[in-house]
Amino acid sequence: MTATLPRTEDADDLDHARHRVTTVLWLGGLAAALAVVLIVATGLGPVWVPPGTVARIIGHHTFGVPAVADWTPAQDSIVWLVRVPRVLLGAMVGAALAVAGAVLQTLVRNVLADPHILGVTSGASTGAAVSLLFGVTAATTAGALAASAFAGALAATVLLFAIARINGQMTSLRLLLGGVTIGYLFSAATSFLIFASDNQEGARTVLFWLLGSLGSAAWSSVATTALVTAAAVAALLLLAARLDVLAAGDDTARALGMSPVRLRMLALGVVALAIGAVVAVAGAIGFVGLVVPHVARLCGGGTHRRLIPLSAVLGALFLVIADVAARVVFAPRELPLGIVTAVVGAPLLLVLIRRFRHSPT
């Protein structure tokens, strides 16, 4: 009697089902961990608030339960007006940066791509520098600062589209080189603005902002960032199948009736919008979009339907923890968030590089 080998289709279905289960387990576990971290992170700071009290305060403001407060007015203000907006903003910024990094690595076909490579982050930094160093009312309001930073990000995006389409179609190489060029251009512009300004306090603020901070978090910025982040993630999930095809190469995409140029333009527009929105409220934060997508691939594979949600949850978790470290390590002084993400992200990137070196090709 000879054994009957299973059909290839059955093996593929079993493999896909296994990956789906693994992804669901990872997403469920990470989402639960994120919920716990959000509660604990809200209580941490110069004034410690127990997690139980934090949960009751959030429940009271969100659902009206408990109806009678058993905590102090100071705790209520610290938790609801200061720390809850901050941790929520951190989660959304981390999610947006991680998803943007994952998609950019596909668009430019480079595993070292991250939001900085587009030049959009540098453009936002230049817009913020103009506001902080030379603005009249812009320097005094967080909303105007965010608007200036977003305008800079938008200008960088338009310039990137123009450069990438010069004398030919938009390709991954043109995007990569155009983003690097724009990044250097706007970085030089920001440095010149700092040099040309006599506003020393503004220069210090710009330098701190360039390293990233969630210190200006407020409910208004949380609402705007949540809307943009949710819309960007949803749009990229709708493009997930086509991004998988693009990852296999432009020729494969054309053979399947897709236009790589249109897909890149559409996905890049969504990514640039998300990056501009989060950089406008949190500054330039590095390493999240570079490292987190690689970790997400280790957890759930490279399929974008799994990669995008895993990157979002991991990015949120990573940045909330990093922000806690920024707040408490040298309390009451606050470290720039970019320093913490670099300190954590650089060793993690080295570990990933070592893993890639020893993995089969």
Side-chain angles (χ1 to χ4, degrees), residues 30 35-36 60 124-125 144 234 272 289 325 328:
L30 290 171
V36 173
H60 175 74
S125 300
V328 303

Side-chain angles (χ1 to χ4, degrees), residues 260-349:
V261 174
R262 282 201 296 266
L263 179 56
R264 279 197 177 91
M265 290 185 66
L266 179 58
L268 184 60
V270 175
V271 167
L273 175 65
I275 295 173
V278 298
V279 172
V281 296
I285 301 173
F287 276 96
V288 180
L290 175 60
V291 175
V292 171
H294 293 299
V295 179
R297 289 187 184 94
L298 294 177
C299 296
T303 304
H304 285 81
R305 281 185 298 179
R306 305 183 186 106
L307 177 62
I308 290 173
L310 280 171
S311 296
V313 179
L314 279 168
L317 189 61
F318 176 69
L319 200 63
V320 170
I321 295 174
D323 183 57
V324 170
R327 286 189 281 126
V328 303
V329 169
F330 290 104
R333 297 178 62 189
E334 180 180 325
L335 276 174
L337 189 51
I339 293 178
V340 180
T341 58
V343 168
V344 177
L348 184 57
L349 182 60

Side-chain angles (χ1 to χ4, degrees), residues 136-147:
V136 179
T137 59
T140 60
T141 61
L145 173 61

